[in-house]
């Protein structure tokens, strides 16, 4: 087991991590997702926390025409950490966008994939919730404190972009001024707007802040160009058509108390549903036996 896995499991078991992404929460407690929306209930449930309020309380804003609430869900956010952090920042007045190398995860990724890379560049957001600074990571779908996050991932070469730095930035203001505009697929006006955005990003220069220049021209453009945005929109339409879209529960959960919304991820396969039902019955039988032993 890698250091990343050890630290991540410790943090989850000690309630240092809270998932805002329901599907990643279900995977964290042991559910397995297979092809064609085939979800298998675990034989043993792991401890994990779910925050159903976070997404629900976000304003209905859009990033380059795409719903931010949808964008930061695991169905879309994978591989788009730079733009997802910028998108989520639109929902808050004060924040820090952090880009760094995840050294522990890089070692884990190298071992598991046999890839020779020694770096894993990543971006996440720091915001204030209930007068506490917390990390929100849209790739892992989690909320945690900075120290816990650092222990898990091993942060190196940290670069910080503050909300004050972006307050007068033309590109950020271009995005911010369009946060109330819903995407309009195959619309000439939308194509014109996103092409203008890409031109601004490509031509951006900042002699006083090369770090910000690099983030905008390299990181942001790579994860929010017109090809990426159109793929997101088409993917969103497809999920709606074939009923892959899941409305996340809007209340908090703790996994050891098996929740009533498992049907949201229950399988489309009849045999799997029967299996999941049997596993749940066995789970309750075991819990009942444990209670009897305690009473004795």
């Amino acid at each position: 087991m890698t250091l990343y896995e050890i630290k991540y499991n410790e943090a989850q078991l000690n309630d240092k991590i809270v998932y805002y992404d329901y599907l990643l929460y279900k995977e964290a407690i042991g559910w397995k997702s297979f092809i064609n929306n085939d979800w298998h209930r675990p034989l043993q449930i792991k401890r994990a926390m779910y925050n159903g309020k976070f997404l629900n309380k976000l304003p209905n804003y859009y990033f380059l025409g795409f719903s931010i609430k949808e964008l930061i869900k695991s169905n879309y956010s994978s591989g788009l950490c730079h733009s997802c952090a910028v998108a989520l920042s639109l929902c808050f007045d004060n924040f820090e966008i952090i880009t760094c190398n995840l050294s522990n995860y890089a070692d884990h990724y190298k071992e598991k994939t046999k890839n020779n890379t020694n770096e894993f560049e990543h971006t996440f957001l720091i915001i204030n919730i209930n007068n506490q600074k917390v990390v929100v990571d849209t790739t892992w779908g989690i909320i945690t404190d900075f120290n816990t996050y650092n222990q898990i991932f091993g942060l190196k070469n940290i670069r910080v972009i503050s909300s004050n730095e972006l307050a007068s930035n033309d590109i950020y203001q271009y995005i911010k001024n369009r946060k109330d505009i819903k995407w309009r697929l195959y619309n000439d006006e939308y194509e014109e707007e996103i092409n203008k955005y890409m031109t601004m990003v490509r031509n951006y220069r900042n002699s006083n802040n090369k770090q910000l220049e690099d983030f905008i021209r390299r990181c942001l453009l790579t994860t929010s160009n017109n090809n990426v945005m159109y793929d997101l929109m088409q993917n969103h339409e497809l999920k709606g058509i074939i009923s892959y879209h899941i409305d996340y529960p809007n209340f908090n959960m703790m996994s050891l108390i098996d929740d009533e919304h498992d049907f949201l991820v229950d399988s489309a396969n009849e045999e799997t549903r029967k299996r999941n039902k049997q596993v749940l019955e066995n789970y309750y039988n075991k819990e009942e036996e444990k209670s009897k032993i305690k009473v004795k």
Side-chain angles (χ1 to χ4, degrees):
M1 186 176 286
T2 63
L3 179 61
Y4 157 77
E5 290 175 303
I6 293 171
K7 293 299 183 180
Y8 197 103
N9 288 337
E10 286 178 356
Q12 182 172 305
L13 291 175
N14 291 322
D15 300 336
K16 294 290 187 179
I17 288 175
V18 180
Y19 291 87
Y20 74 80
D21 189 290
Y22 183 68
L23 297 185
L24 293 179
Y25 160 74
K26 300 306 282 188
E27 289 183 354
I29 68 178
W31 282 75
K32 299 294 184 183
S33 173
F34 296 95
I35 190 173
N36 295 326
N37 212 28
D38 190 26
W39 286 84
H40 288 221
R41 177 183 287 276
L43 297 177
Q44 184 175 359
I45 300 173
K46 296 180 183 178
R47 183 182 183 91
M49 307 291 288
Y50 170 72
N51 183 335
K53 306 290 185 182
F54 180 75
L55 274 180
N56 188 53
K57 288 184 176 180
L58 290 179
N60 294 316
Y61 290 162
Y62 300 88
F63 174 74
L64 298 178
F66 194 90
S67 168
I68 294 173
K69 287 185 178 181
E70 292 297 315
L71 179 62
I72 65 172
K73 289 181 178 180
S74 56
N75 282 338
Y76 305 100
S77 61
S78 179
L80 303 178
C81 62
H82 309 306
S83 56
C84 282
V86 172
L88 184 57
S89 75
L90 297 173
C91 300
F92 302 93
D93 293 327
N94 299 304
F95 57 83
E96 291 177 327
I97 296 173
I98 310 294
T99 301
C100 59
N101 175 41
L102 307 183
S103 61
N104 290 351
Y105 186 76
D107 292 341
H108 166 81
Y109 184 80
K110 186 176 182 179
E111 180 176 320
K112 297 300 181 182
T113 65
K114 307 305 178 185
N115 192 304
N116 290 326
T117 182
N118 293 316
E119 292 190 353
F120 192 94
E121 189 179 52
H122 187 63
T123 297
F124 58 89
L125 193 70
I126 292 183
I127 57 173
N128 194 304
I129 297 181
N130 297 327
N131 296 321
Q132 290 186 329
K133 280 190 173 183
V134 297
V135 170
V136 182
D137 190 301
T138 59
T139 298
W140 277 265
I142 60 173
I143 303 169
T144 187
D145 63 273
F146 183 82
N147 288 336
T148 297
Y149 191 87
N150 191 17
Q151 289 174 8
I152 295 171
F153 293 99
L155 309 186
K156 304 292 184 183
N157 189 23
I158 299 173
R159 290 94 76 194
V160 182
I161 300 173
S162 70
S163 49
N164 288 336
E165 287 180 88
L166 291 176
S168 59
N169 182 273
D170 291 342
I171 294 172
Y172 190 77
Q173 290 305 314
Y174 183 87
I175 297 170
K176 190 173 183 179
N177 290 339
R178 286 154 179 78
K179 66 184 182 182
D180 294 312
I181 303 175
K182 186 177 181 179
W183 61 267
R184 301 178 300 278
L185 190 57
Y186 308 124
N187 182 289
D188 290 341
E189 183 182 355
Y190 178 78
E191 185 174 349
E192 182 179 337
E193 286 185 357
I194 198 168
N195 284 337
K196 181 180 178 182
Y197 158 78
M198 289 179 61
T199 300
M200 291 173 64
V201 172
R202 286 197 187 101
N203 295 333
Y204 180 72
R205 298 291 187 276
N206 190 329
S207 59
N208 296 321
N209 193 334
K210 287 297 182 181
Q211 176 181 292
L212 180 58
E213 179 182 315
D214 177 69
F215 178 81
I216 289 177
R217 295 190 65 211
R218 183 175 59 84
C219 300
L220 188 58
L221 182 62
T222 303
T223 56
S224 61
N225 55 60
N226 54 0
N227 291 331
V228 170
M229 299 314 297
Y230 275 111
D231 284 346
L232 285 171
M233 294 170 190
Q234 289 173 325
N235 190 26
H236 186 268
E237 278 194 340
L238 180 62
K239 287 181 183 296
I241 292 170
I242 60 180
S243 301
Y244 276 8
H245 177 75
I246 295 175
D247 290 321
Y248 288 6
N250 60 4
F251 50 88
N252 299 342
M253 299 180 190
M254 204 282 277
S255 63
L256 297 185
I257 305 171
D258 208 30
D259 65 82
E260 63 189 41
H261 284 76
D262 286 341
F263 67 88
L264 289 174
V265 293
D266 210 352
S267 175
N269 184 293
E270 181 63 30
E271 290 301 316
T272 304
R273 285 203 300 273
K274 290 179 181 178
R275 174 216 171 264
N276 288 349
K277 182 179 179 181
Q278 185 60 54
V279 170
L280 182 60
E281 289 175 356
N282 293 341
Y283 168 80
Y284 281 127
N285 289 337
K286 289 179 181 179
E287 291 301 307
E288 187 175 347
E289 288 297 321
K290 289 180 183 178
S291 298
K292 289 179 180 179
I293 293 173
K294 286 181 180 180
V295 170
K296 290 181 181 179

